[in-house]
Amino acid sequence: MMTEQRDPFLETLFAEARQELDGKVITTQVMARTRSVKLLLLAGGVSAALILVAGARLIFGIPLFDFAVLISQVLATPLFTLGEGWLALLLLPLNTIASLLVILFKALRIFQKKSAGMSISGG
């Protein structure tokens, strides 16, 4: 049932919706929030890395250099044995745990960007 009376609260909302917004102010606010979130994520990542290194030092009792060598040896471990030929040398950069992690990370980033783009475009 329709009435001729108008709700004052709704009228103020519609009046605010008709106002022109300053694009520079909104852009500045969005960029400031994005920058703060990026810095927060970076600080969290650095903190997690420091906690991991300190925890490994306490748990395993190994010096920091030995821990770094151990991590590099694990990341350089080949996925498949390809022998001693030229094909093994050619595929050596791709045949490590580190390369698998890089490819996996890149695929996740592509999936994240595609899914974010789909949610923004409404498709």
Side-chain angles (χ1 to χ4, degrees):
M1 181 168 162
M2 300 272 303
T3 65
E4 293 299 320
Q5 291 181 338
R6 294 187 177 178
D7 186 11
F9 179 69
L10 285 176
E11 283 185 3
T12 58
L13 286 178
F14 279 106
E16 288 176 6
R18 283 190 287 271
Q19 291 178 356
E20 287 293 321
L21 298 176
D22 187 13
K24 290 182 181 180
V25 173
I26 292 174
T27 303
T28 304
Q29 289 175 348
V30 169
M31 293 303 293
R33 283 187 190 147
T34 304
R35 192 176 313 113
S36 66
V37 167
K38 281 185 177 181
L39 288 175
L40 184 64
L41 286 174
L42 179 66
V46 169
S47 300
L50 288 175
I51 289 171
L52 177 70
V53 168
R57 169 88 174 155
L58 291 173
I59 293 172
F60 300 120
I62 58 176
L64 204 54
F65 180 75
D66 291 341
F67 183 69
V69 169
L70 179 67
I71 294 294
S72 66
Q73 286 175 347
V74 167
L75 292 176
T77 303
L79 296 171
F80 308 103
T81 54
L82 298 174
E84 298 290 327
W86 63 270
L87 183 62
L89 289 175
L90 185 66
L91 295 177
L92 183 63
L94 300 174
N95 189 25
T96 62
I97 292 176
S99 64
L100 180 67
L101 290 175
V102 167
I103 291 169
L104 182 65
F105 178 75
K106 184 66 177 173
L108 286 173
R109 289 286 294 164
I110 290 171
F111 176 74
Q112 177 190 14
K113 286 186 178 191
K114 292 244 185 221
S115 64
M118 287 175 52
S119 67
I120 289 173
S121 65

